[in-house]
Amino acid sequence: MAGMKVSSAWEENITTFSISYIKGKLLKWCVEIPKSLTSISRRNGIRQARAAKAASVFPRPASGPLRPIVRGQTVKYNSKVREGRGFSLEELKEAGIPAKLARTIGIAVDHRRRNRSLEGLQENVNRLKAYKSNLVVFPRRANKPKAGDASADELKAVEQLKGKVMPIVAEKPALEKIAITDEMRAEKAYATLRLERMNARMAGIRKKRAAEEEAAEKEK
C-alpha cells in the first residue's frame, strides 16, 4: 500500500529472494549454454579424428573392410538386408579367395557363419568378385612387385575411397498392375476367410464325428 513502511526484516527477505532467484537463473544458464558449445567442439573433434584415421590408413578405405549382405533374424526382420560381420569360408572358396589373403586385402572374414540358402551364397560370391575386379593391390616392395600387384601407373592414379565400400542399396519390389475383372468384384474375400477359418476349427470335430458314425454302422 502507498505510504506503508516496510520493516528491515521484510527488506532482507526480498533481497535474499532476489539474489537466490538470480543465482538460479545464472546456474541454469551455466548448465544449459555449455551443452551447445560442447556439442560443437565434439563435432569438430569427430571430424578431425575421422580425417586423421583416413590419413593413417591411406590408401585403404577409411570406412573399413568389405562386409557381406545378410538378412535379419526372426520373421519380423528377415525381409530387411544389412551388413554382416564377415564373409563365410564357403563364400570365399566359391569366389576363389583364400581366407588368409582376404583379411589382407580389405575383406572381413567370419569363420562361424554358415550359408543357409543358395541365393544368399551366390549374392555374396558376386559381391566378392565385383570387389576383386575393382581392387588395386599395392606391392609390399615398390622395386619388387609380385603377380597381381598394381603397376606404377595405376598406383599414381589411385584415390582413397570416401564412404562405405560397396554400400547396400535396398531394391524396391516392382508393382504389377492388372485390370479388375467382374469375377474379382463378385468374390467375397471376408466371407471366404471366415468359412476357411471355421473349416479349420471344425476339422477335428468333424473327423471324430465321422469316426463315431462309422463305428456305429459297423456295430449294426
Side-chain angles (χ1 to χ4, degrees):
M1 293 177 65
M4 183 177 177
K5 292 184 179 179
V6 180
S7 63
S8 59
W10 180 251
E11 288 180 354
E12 289 178 1
N13 290 337
I14 294 175
T15 306
T16 306
F17 171 75
S18 60
I19 292 173
S20 61
Y21 179 76
I22 293 170
K23 283 184 178 179
K25 286 293 184 182
L26 289 174
L27 181 61
K28 186 178 180 182
W29 183 88
C30 292
V31 170
E32 290 183 354
I33 293 301
K35 289 182 180 179
S36 60
L37 298 178
T38 53
S39 63
I40 294 172
S41 62
R42 190 181 297 115
R43 286 198 297 269
N44 292 335
I46 292 171
R47 185 175 65 254
Q48 292 170 4
R50 190 181 293 118
K53 179 186 176 183
S56 64
V57 300
F58 181 85
R60 292 172 291 176
S63 59
L66 178 71
R67 299 189 183 277
I69 299 174
V70 298
R71 292 190 173 273
Q73 296 181 351
T74 71
V75 177
K76 184 176 182 181
Y77 298 107
N78 66 359
S79 60
K80 298 180 180 180
V81 293
R82 60 175 179 82
E83 286 188 347
R85 184 182 182 87
F87 290 90
S88 67
L89 300 179
E90 187 178 359
E91 291 168 350
L92 294 170
K93 184 178 179 181
E94 290 290 330
I97 303 173
K100 290 184 178 179
L101 176 65
R103 293 185 175 92
T104 63
I105 57 175
I107 299 175
V109 181
D110 186 4
H111 65 278
R112 296 168 295 183
R113 257 190 78 229
R114 299 290 182 270
N115 293 100
R116 304 297 183 185
S117 66
L118 182 62
E119 293 80 4
L121 171 66
Q122 195 61 42
E123 187 177 18
N124 284 322
V125 169
N126 294 336
R127 184 174 172 84
L128 285 169
K129 290 181 178 178
Y131 174 80
K132 190 177 178 181
S133 64
N134 296 323
L135 184 66
V136 178
V137 180
F138 277 56
R140 289 182 179 273
R141 297 180 182 179
N143 55 351
K144 292 183 180 180
K146 295 182 179 180
D149 292 345
S151 61
D153 296 334
E154 290 177 342
L155 296 178
K156 292 179 181 178
V158 167
E159 293 183 2
Q160 190 176 27
L161 179 67
K162 305 294 184 182
K164 284 281 186 181
V165 181
M166 297 177 66
I168 299 172
V169 180
E171 297 181 359
K172 294 183 179 180
L175 298 177
E176 183 182 356
K177 296 182 180 180
I178 59 173
I180 299 175
T181 61
D182 295 334
E183 295 179 358
M184 293 179 182
R185 291 191 178 94
E187 187 177 359
K188 297 180 180 179
Y190 182 73
T192 304
L193 290 173
R194 294 291 297 180
L195 179 63
E196 294 299 327
R197 182 181 177 186
M198 185 267 293
N199 291 335
R201 188 176 68 251
M202 297 291 292
I205 298 173
R206 289 172 180 172
K207 185 177 180 180
K208 181 180 178 182
R209 189 182 299 165
E212 290 175 354
E213 290 176 357
E214 186 179 354
E217 288 179 1
K218 288 181 179 179
E219 289 178 358
K220 291 180 180 178

